[in-house]
Amino acid sequence: MLDHVFLSVSDLDRSIAFYTATLTPLGITQRVDYDGKDGLPGHPDLKGFGANGRMFFWLRPGIVEGGAAHVGFVANSQDEVNAAYAAAMAAGATDNGAPGTRLHYDPRYYAANVLDPDGYSLEFTYKSWQH
């Protein structure tokens, strides 16, 4: 199980706005700002996103290699997948796969895919057998 993921972004303010809008429909509404000077020397400033008291998705300023990452977010229903996709598109995402069943994985695998403003691949997934 993963504890956290860091993504380097080219425009921190733009990415905070994008992810705030995009992750809200998934219930990922908690935010934390970590000042890098409070960490080890050279620690970056971090902008965290989470839910239920657990911060697990972090942004940091840095070099972007958009195609280098794919992040899948859990949705609790097909409606949440649809809402996250719509929010992402409204916030400036690029479509990378409209909401629908991903039969090539499983007939119960419902997902939507977008590219964030830096070109990172995001997937919002509802796998009914995991709920």
Side-chain angles (χ1 to χ4, degrees):
M1 180 178 290
L2 294 175
D3 182 69
H4 59 274
V5 172
F6 288 9
L7 278 187
S8 296
V9 297
S10 61
D11 182 330
L12 199 53
D13 291 334
R14 176 186 71 184
S15 291
I16 290 167
F18 174 82
Y19 281 101
T20 297
T22 298
L23 299 178
T24 294
L26 301 174
I28 303 170
T29 58
Q30 294 174 330
R31 287 257 305 107
V32 169
D33 294 334
Y34 179 80
D35 192 334
K37 71 177 174 27
D38 294 334
L40 298 172
H43 197 292
D45 290 340
L46 300 171
K47 306 300 183 182
F49 296 80
N52 303 317
R54 186 168 171 268
M55 307 310 290
F56 52 86
F57 185 72
W58 297 86
L59 303 176
R60 64 181 175 193
I63 298 171
V64 171
E65 295 185 35
H70 172 83
V71 181
F73 292 96
V74 174
N76 290 309
S77 66
Q78 291 183 6
D79 288 341
E80 278 192 12
V81 169
N82 297 340
Y85 175 83
M89 294 300 291
T94 302
D95 173 61
N96 198 31
T101 303
R102 302 302 192 245
L103 293 174
H104 52 280
Y105 294 131
D106 188 281
R108 301 165 295 166
Y109 191 122
Y110 189 86
N113 300 76
V114 300
L115 301 176
D116 86 348
D118 283 311
Y120 292 114
S121 172
L122 308 179
E123 183 173 9
F124 314 115
T125 65
Y126 173 65
K127 301 172 184 176
S128 61
W129 69 93
Q130 293 180 342
H131 293 271

